[in-house]
């Protein structure tokens, strides 16, 4: 058991922005374990490019406008109370990480520089060039490493939680070895589910483990079928992970072109290329059917080499690796899975239906996004609602007896190897049943197959490995999504 004790006050699962910011908000006398299933920085937070939205510039912006923009993007399906909390409290968190945790946002003189993204009516996106997530993740992790009460361990995967009086037993796999630790509270910050599809912008960790584990012990999971497809992922010829061409590129004037190199968005929506993501993705699919080709481009060449390299150094370098010089060439793009609006259903203190279990960040459903997330609202959500989880935990720790007194449950002893192909089958089911537009016949057939796979994974006596846990998570997520999709229809 490398670097861990047997018992902690709080177990935080995930070292992205939500997990690490939660750890940083707990009192110094609270013992905290943060586990990350791979390296600390392998997460969606690290990949975030565009930035974090917050009403900092009060002369030109207002909370009401940020709320209105979020409601429009979300199709008015948002939870208004949670959204008000997000927009009203968010600026404080953003200023705090900037002033007290050394997070560096781009500046113009002594003012923070704001950019514009699709769906925002004001320039309110704070950013660090085009690698905001990397800046936030690295600085927050560096801050957490300074704290004596926080232990952070890599390559340690949560496999299951067993609720008991006073807390949980958590079954972890560390370098393939099963370990059990006890905790009084657990905060799941395990991120999204992009890897349930064949192509995604998400990092390899995004297999929905936290959602599946919470579901298994009775937490409510809501709106898991609300998957966001980003319209402009780099259309690479190979590989599962699609590099994102951030909305900020369109925000700064890039044109979205069809195979004939013509702008086409105004044919479908008067907001053009800066319409919300779901709209742009649907328009691309419609245009794709009309033109009989999946070839689409972004064109930012007219902004000039200096501007492009200054504003989008990471995108420039990454595209160059793929053989595309964005100062001279068109950028090939196509939609793919990007973000999950639904998740483990939580209250305004990130509390789930299971006592002492909290969820924050992309794995949680706070309701702030409604049916479709407005760009750059998710890092803000990760900050605000992970902090709010710690308020509730701190309050309870002052008033309640905690600590697990029962012995740990038996560790599963299955020894069969995971059959090949289950994960690929699940991914293909999802792509056919629900990519930009749902296909209900494919969803019905896919649900039958996914249910069979999930059943086999639960009773088949398989060896406890990281691949096995991820396969079970993907199958669970697929089954929940398809059931919801069919119920909605
Ligand atoms: C390419 C890209 C660009 C984006 N750009 C933006 C943007 O500009 N602005 C914005 O607001 N949002 C953006 N997003 C979305 C945003 O980055 C994420 O929603 C947010 O960072 C999620 O943070 P998180 O802490 O919830 O999850 P993550 O950062 O994904 O962290 C999840 C953590 O959970 C751990 N984990 C998962 N399962 C287990 C397990 N079983 N056991 C142990 N650990 C586990 C992982 O190892 C990881 O440490 C972008 C997303 C992507 C993919």
């Amino acid at each position: 058991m490398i670097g861990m004790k047997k018992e902690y006050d709080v177990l935080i699962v995930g070292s992205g922005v939500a997990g690490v910011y939660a750890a940083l908000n707990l009192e110094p006398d609270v013992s905290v374990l943060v586990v990350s299933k791979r390296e600390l920085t392998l997460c969606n937070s690290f990949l975030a490019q565009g930035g974090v939205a917050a009403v900092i510039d009060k002369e030109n912006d207002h909370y009401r406008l940020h709320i209105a923009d979020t409601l429009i993007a979300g199709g008015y399906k948002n939870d208004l109370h949670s959204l008000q909390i997000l927009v009203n409290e968010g600026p404080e968190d953003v200023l705090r990480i900037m002033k007290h945790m050394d997070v560096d946002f781009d500046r113009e003189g002594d003012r923070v520089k704001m950019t514009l993204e699709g769906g925002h009516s004001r320039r309110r996106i704070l950013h660090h060039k085009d690698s905001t997530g990397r800046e936030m993740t690295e600085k927050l992790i560096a801050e957490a490493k300074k704290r004596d009460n926080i232990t952070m361990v890599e390559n340690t995967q949560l496999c299951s939680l067993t609720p008991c009086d006073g807390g949980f037993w958590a079954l972890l796999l560390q370098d393939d070895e099963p370990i059990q630790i006890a905790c009084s509270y657990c905060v799941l910050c395990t991120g999204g589910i992009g890897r349930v599809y064949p192509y995604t912008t998400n990092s390899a960790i995004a297999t929905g483990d936290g959602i599946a584990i919470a579901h298994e012990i009775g937490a409510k999971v809501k709106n898991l079928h609300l998957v966001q497809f980003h319209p402009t992922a780099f259309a690479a010829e190979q590989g599962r992970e699609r590099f994102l061409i951030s909305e900020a590129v369109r925000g700064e004037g890039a044109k979205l072109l069809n195979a004939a190199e013509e702008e086409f968005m105004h044919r479908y929506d008067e907001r053009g290329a800066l319409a919300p993501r779901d709209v742009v993705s649907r328009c691309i699919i419609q245009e794709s059917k009309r033109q009989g080709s999946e070839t689409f481009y972004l064109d930012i060449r007219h902004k000039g080499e200096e501007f492009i390299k200054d504003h989008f150094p990471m995108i420039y370098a990454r595209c160059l690796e793929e053989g595309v010089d964005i100062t001279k060439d068109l950028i090939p793009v196509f939609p793919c899975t990007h973000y999950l609006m639904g998740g483990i259903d939580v209250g305004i203190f990130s509390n789930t239906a299971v006592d002492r279990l909290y969820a924050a960040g992309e794995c949680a459903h706070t309701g702030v996004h409604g049916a479709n997330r407005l760009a750059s609202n998710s890092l803000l959500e990760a900050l605000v609602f992970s902090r709010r989880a710690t308020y509730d935990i701190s309050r309870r720790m002052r008033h309640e007896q905690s600590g697990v007194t029962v012995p740990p449950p038996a560790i599963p002893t299955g020894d069969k190897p995971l059959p090949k192909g289950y994960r690929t089958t699940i991914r293909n089911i999802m792509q056919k049943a629900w990519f930009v537009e749902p296909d209900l016949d494919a969803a019905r057939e896919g649900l039958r197959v996914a249910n069979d796979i999930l059943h086999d994974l639960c009773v088949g006596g398989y060896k406890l490995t990281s691949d096995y846990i991820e396969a079970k998570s993907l199958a669970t997520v697929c089954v929940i999504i398809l059931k919801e999709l069919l119920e909605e229809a």
Side-chain angles (χ1 to χ4, degrees):
M1 186 153 83
I2 305 163
M4 288 189 281
K5 298 186 295 179
K6 269 267 32 58
E7 186 164 1
Y8 288 85
D9 293 324
V10 182
L11 167 66
I12 296 177
V13 189
S15 59
V17 163
V20 181
Y21 196 59
L24 288 167
N25 274 281
L26 285 159
E27 304 289 325
D29 60 342
V30 175
S31 63
V32 184
L33 174 66
V34 179
V35 295
S36 175
K37 75 172 163 179
R38 307 260 197 283
E39 305 89 82
L40 291 179
T41 52
L42 190 79
C43 57
N44 280 358
S45 297
F46 190 85
L47 298 177
Q49 299 175 352
V52 52
V55 179
I56 305 282
D57 176 6
K58 303 234 168 55
E59 280 169 32
N60 299 302
D61 200 358
H62 196 281
Y63 297 126
R64 280 198 311 275
L65 297 173
H66 191 180
I67 289 174
D69 293 343
T70 308
L71 287 170
I72 292 169
Y76 296 90
K77 301 262 167 61
N78 321 57
D79 180 307
L80 190 56
H81 187 199
S82 299
L83 175 56
Q84 282 166 335
I85 290 172
L86 176 83
V87 169
N88 293 342
E89 295 186 4
E92 193 77 16
D93 287 298
V94 171
L95 291 174
R96 185 160 164 240
I97 60 169
M98 197 164 87
K99 288 183 183 153
H100 302 296
M101 298 176 185
D102 205 25
V103 175
D104 180 30
F105 292 116
D106 288 359
R107 296 178 158 274
E108 244 163 3
D110 57 355
R111 292 170 77 97
V112 182
K113 196 169 163 185
M114 305 283 180
T115 191
L116 188 67
E117 289 189 321
H120 287 275
S121 60
R122 293 288 185 278
R123 284 189 170 262
R124 66 167 74 96
I125 320 296
L126 292 89
H127 55 102
H128 178 96
K129 300 283 183 198
D130 56 354
S131 51
T132 310
R134 177 183 183 144
E135 170 67 14
M136 286 173 70
T137 314
E138 286 180 342
K139 293 286 173 65
L140 295 184
I141 289 174
E143 188 64 32
K145 283 183 173 168
K146 292 182 203 158
R147 308 273 177 102
D148 291 338
N149 65 317
I150 302 176
T151 304
M152 299 213 276
V153 287
E154 306 185 296
N155 300 315
T156 305
Q157 179 168 9
L158 179 71
C159 305
S160 64
L161 281 173
T162 305
C164 42
D165 266 357
F168 300 92
W169 276 106
L171 174 61
L172 303 169
L173 258 190
Q174 191 178 56
D175 300 325
D176 296 330
E177 278 301 313
I179 305 163
Q180 305 209 68
I181 66 127
C183 61
S184 303
Y185 301 90
C186 176
V187 191
L188 295 171
C189 300
T190 49
I193 57 141
R195 294 289 169 142
V196 78
Y197 281 86
Y199 308 108
T200 177
T201 60
N202 287 196
S203 89
I205 55 84
T207 50
D209 298 359
I211 295 169
I213 290 166
H215 178 69
E216 201 170 59
I217 58 169
K220 191 173 162 201
V221 172
K222 196 168 169 190
N223 285 341
L224 218 61
H225 69 293
L226 295 181
V227 176
Q228 182 173 74
F229 303 95
H230 198 289
T232 58
F234 187 89
E237 274 164 26
Q238 286 170 339
R240 199 176 290 299
E241 193 167 320
R242 294 278 159 98
F243 175 64
L244 186 71
I245 311 297
S246 151
E247 213 114 30
V249 178
R250 276 174 286 139
E252 294 297 343
K255 295 177 205 152
L256 181 58
L257 308 176
N258 61 16
E261 300 182 19
E262 295 161 353
E263 288 187 79
F264 63 93
M265 276 299 300
H266 286 96
R267 222 180 273 151
Y268 300 98
D269 194 290
E270 62 187 14
R271 290 165 291 185
L274 280 177
R277 288 175 182 177
D278 58 331
V279 176
V280 180
S281 293
R282 273 198 300 275
C283 296
I284 290 179
I285 298 299
Q286 280 180 40
E287 180 70 3
S288 158
K289 286 180 186 152
R290 195 191 68 82
Q291 69 179 6
S293 153
E294 292 190 346
T295 301
F296 289 86
Y297 302 106
L298 279 175
D299 184 4
I300 184 90
R301 295 174 298 183
H302 55 284
K303 298 297 274 190
E305 192 168 332
E306 200 185 329
F307 178 93
I308 293 171
K309 286 184 178 169
D310 180 49
H311 281 70
F312 305 113
M314 204 248 290
I315 294 176
Y316 170 74
R318 191 64 185 73
C319 288
L320 211 51
E321 279 172 28
E322 304 280 344
V324 175
D325 178 348
I326 68 172
T327 65
K328 299 190 181 81
D329 303 324
L330 297 174
I331 314 169
V333 290
F334 199 67
C336 75
T337 325
H338 181 55
Y339 181 77
L340 175 67
M341 272 75 69
I344 306 161
D345 198 33
V346 293
I348 57 170
F349 289 101
S350 307
N351 45 307
T352 72
V354 175
D355 191 31
R356 296 171 184 266
L357 181 67
Y358 298 77
E362 195 166 337
C363 71
H365 172 267
T366 60
V368 296
H369 306 298
N372 181 45
R373 171 177 70 108
L374 181 65
S376 288
N377 268 354
S378 51
L379 287 171
L380 192 70
E381 183 196 25
L383 291 172
V384 170
F385 286 94
S386 65
R387 170 181 50 75
R388 289 181 70 88
T390 68
Y391 285 0
D392 204 48
I393 293 171
S394 301
R395 177 188 64 77
R396 290 186 65 171
M397 285 184 79
R398 279 195 292 275
H399 300 293
E400 289 175 17
Q401 192 72 17
S402 288
V404 172
T405 50
V406 295
I411 292 175
T413 53
D415 58 0
K416 271 168 59 185
L418 181 68
K420 282 204 164 56
Y422 272 179
R423 284 169 293 179
T424 307
T425 305
I426 294 289
R427 288 175 177 132
N428 291 341
I429 288 173
M430 287 304 302
Q431 186 75 12
K432 264 181 106 177
W434 178 208
F435 175 64
V436 183
E437 301 279 4
D439 177 335
L440 295 181
D441 289 337
R444 255 175 237 112
E445 173 56 17
L447 180 58
R448 198 186 53 71
V449 177
N451 259 325
D452 287 349
I453 291 177
L454 181 57
H455 178 74
D456 182 51
L457 288 170
C458 291
V459 301
Y462 294 113
K463 188 171 163 35
L464 189 67
T465 62
S466 180
D467 283 351
Y468 166 73
I469 293 300
E470 291 191 355
K472 195 146 83 82
S473 303
L474 294 180
T476 305
V477 164
C478 172
V479 165
I480 301 175
I481 290 179
L482 297 185
K483 272 189 188 158
E484 282 186 7
L485 205 62
L486 291 166
E487 278 162 19
E488 283 278 303

